Amino acid sequence: MKQERGLSRRLRRERRRVALRSTLVQAVWNYDSLQGIGFGWAILPGLARIRPDRGERAERLLANLGTFNANPYLASIAMGVALRLEEEIARGAAGAERRLARLLHALRGSLGAIGDDLFWSAGRPALGLAAVAAALATGSVWPAIVYVIAWNALAQGVRLAGVRAGFAAGAAVVRVLQDPFWAKAARTARAAGIFAAGAGLGMGAGLAVLGGGGLAGGAVFVAIVGFLWLAGTQIGARGPSLSPALAFLAVAALLSAIFHLSQGALP
Amino acid sequence: MTEWQAASLVALGAVVFLDQWPAVQSMISRPIVVGPAVGSILGAPADGVLWGAAFESMLLAIQPVGAARYPDAALAGLLGTAAAIMGMESGIYPAAWAVAVAAGAGWAGEVVGRLQRRRNARTAAAVLSRVSAGSLGAPARGIATALARGAALGALQTAAGLAVVIAGTRLLAGSPWAGPLDAHGLRIAAAAMAGVAGARVLGLGRKRVVSLVLGAAAGLALVFLGVSG
């Protein structure tokens, strides 16, 4: 905390600007430097505080425009770390430049793994399932609105807090990554998501049986669920599998045909 | 479709293209959000909600993890919902057509996304060379260029997709095989898709089976209570 005094105090004011800029970390995403350009641009306000001289600033900016990639919401942690170490470099700390390069390289994998698990593998499917179940139940636009608000409260909140956490931890960022919060949040999201998935199944079965289909409707629903499960709705599942879009297309076509034939309207 | 509606959909296409990965990622590009937006623009918000939920469940399993190539969920949701609503206006309920449009749009959008990433490599190279020469404003200009190009590509692919949807809907309007799946049938299909995709993506352990069963009971109760009937 002592190191947070002096220049760090002025840098703290720039954290919000860095967090705000981190929303564009993927703006120039490409197959060569990945998020590199967005990363360098995001930390520029902090660099301007650390390096008032334009020439020196351009030199350090160039060093931070190299290849970088992480989960976009957690990239802000690396930005905080980079600023903290840039400050040490400016103070002339021995080996700080090498330490920064090594840390950023190491953070790529860790931030990608933790962030992808929390946001892409657990959080988004869970919130999406809850919104789908609520939308199918109510037919209202509110589930979509709540979905966007809830997602951004979590994701943009992590972005904002990430710069602060990375800056406070500096080279000791591993303790931020080892925080049980990440695993706990992903576990909670998965449990909630499974509950919502169950709600979807229960609702579908109820609609099929009680919505006029009777036992035949129930049998059709079970057949649809079985087909979708066997078709393989998981990308990367072992063995050949239909893409979710094709599996859903098959179900829509099948249901359309059943509906069509039951109306007795053959072409 | 009026000119105003077409222009609004094209503008929406530009915004959701950017939200999907280049900027913010606030998830307004997810089908569950895009569906109601398209429905509102086309004057059928309730149908937009239903179709948005259906496409969200269809695209739920796809995750932008690692170097995975994934379909453009925003374009799929936008054009799929537009195809469904325009088809309904033509007197059919074209479930299979709308899902086929969404699947095709997802694939085409992924190709356009790759094109944008390739073009970004040139922009990045130009930024690096300018910063080497001492320019501090080059990254901001590079980002503005990439975002503008992304918005243009998003608008262009939406406009092209809408043209295909309009032509396809006209062709299918007279065909008895074009649909016709009613909202009830679609809700059943979407609920099944959501349940199966969720269980497979999130994984089923012993504890989670309990959550799944409890959720199923809650879903059934909703139907009994008439909330979703």
Side-chain angles (χ1 to χ4, degrees):
Chain A
M1 289 306 278
K2 272 182 193 168
Q3 280 179 320
E4 280 214 308
R5 291 179 189 142
L7 184 56
S8 297
R9 191 166 296 171
R10 275 180 281 153
L11 261 181
R12 264 184 278 171
R13 288 185 220 144
E14 303 298 344
R15 285 182 200 147
R16 202 165 294 175
R17 286 181 70 192
V18 173
L20 199 66
R21 284 180 174 221
S22 77
T23 57
L24 297 181
V25 69
Q26 302 206 116
V28 196
W29 200 100
N30 62 85
Y31 295 109
D32 297 333
S33 63
L34 311 172
Q35 297 171 339
I37 301 294
F39 183 89
W41 178 74
I43 65 166
L44 201 49
L47 275 182
R49 288 277 181 195
I50 298 166
R51 302 275 186 179
D53 179 75
R54 285 181 65 88
E56 286 180 4
R57 202 187 315 157
E59 199 180 300
R60 289 314 305 162
L61 172 64
L62 194 62
N64 282 289
L65 287 174
T67 303
F68 180 80
N69 206 42
N71 178 275
Y73 302 107
L74 292 193
S76 63
I77 293 179
M79 290 169 189
V81 171
L83 282 176
R84 180 64 175 270
L85 287 167
E86 279 296 336
E87 198 180 40
E88 287 178 18
I89 294 167
R91 281 178 179 151
E97 203 168 324
R98 214 178 46 242
R99 208 157 56 240
L100 173 60
R102 243 192 359 243
L103 256 177
L104 287 184
H105 186 76
L107 278 175
R108 273 195 250 165
S110 319
L111 293 178
I114 293 171
D116 288 352
D117 183 50
L118 173 60
F119 290 103
W120 300 144
S121 303
R124 192 169 78 179
L127 264 177
L129 281 166
V132 165
L136 291 175
T138 63
S140 154
V141 297
W142 279 105
I145 295 169
V146 172
Y147 168 81
V148 171
I149 293 171
W151 175 267
N152 286 291
L154 172 72
Q156 313 305 349
V158 165
R159 246 183 190 145
L160 196 65
V163 182
R164 193 200 321 235
F167 187 79
V173 66
V174 70
R175 80 170 180 251
V176 175
L177 305 181
Q178 283 173 342
D179 194 309
F181 162 79
W182 306 112
K184 222 181 274 180
R187 223 174 19 245
T188 308
R190 284 202 173 89
I194 284 290
F195 181 85
L201 286 175
M203 205 184 307
L207 287 171
V209 175
L210 302 171
L215 282 179
V220 169
F221 182 75
V222 170
I224 290 170
V225 169
F227 168 74
L228 287 173
W229 185 266
L230 291 175
T233 53
Q234 188 179 28
I235 295 295
R238 261 186 260 162
S241 63
L242 275 179
S243 82
L246 288 182
F248 194 57
L249 177 60
V251 168
L254 183 74
L255 280 178
S256 295
I258 291 171
F259 188 90
H260 184 71
L261 294 172
S262 68
Q263 302 295 304
L266 283 166
Chain B
M1 185 191 291
T2 65
E3 284 168 9
W4 180 89
Q5 286 172 324
S8 299
L9 289 178
V10 168
L12 181 66
V15 171
V16 297
F17 181 92
L18 292 181
D19 185 72
Q20 197 159 219
W21 58 267
V24 190
Q25 292 188 292
S26 68
M27 297 302 132
I28 57 167
S29 51
R30 291 303 297 174
I32 187 81
V33 183
V34 172
V38 172
S40 300
I41 290 169
L42 295 178
D47 292 307
V49 169
L50 179 59
W51 280 99
F55 291 130
E56 180 67 39
S57 66
M58 180 177 102
L59 295 159
L60 196 80
I62 293 149
Q63 297 164 16
V65 173
R69 285 181 178 176
Y70 46 90
D72 185 334
L75 189 67
L78 195 160
L79 292 180
T81 308
I85 293 174
M86 285 163 63
M88 287 161 67
E89 285 169 357
S90 307
I92 52 176
Y93 209 97
W97 164 237
V99 176
V101 165
W107 170 79
E110 190 269 327
V111 174
V112 174
R114 253 188 293 152
L115 181 75
Q116 166 75 340
R117 286 174 163 105
R118 286 214 185 100
R119 294 290 302 182
N120 278 350
R122 290 189 199 180
T123 307
V127 168
L128 287 174
S129 113
R130 284 189 198 123
V131 173
S132 303
S135 165
L136 287 168
R141 280 195 293 278
I143 283 173
T145 304
L147 291 179
R149 186 174 51 235
L153 279 176
L156 205 63
Q157 68 174 6
T158 306
L162 278 177
V164 172
V165 168
I166 290 167
T169 304
R170 278 189 191 150
L171 273 175
L172 285 171
S175 163
W177 287 104
L181 180 65
D182 67 347
H184 181 69
L186 184 67
R187 281 168 95 192
I188 293 171
M193 187 78 203
V196 174
R200 295 205 68 147
V201 169
L202 299 169
L204 275 180
R206 199 174 289 171
K207 277 184 188 169
R208 293 203 190 123
V209 169
V210 176
S211 293
L212 189 80
V213 171
L214 286 175
L220 266 174
L222 280 177
V223 178
F224 267 118
L225 294 170
V227 176
S228 58

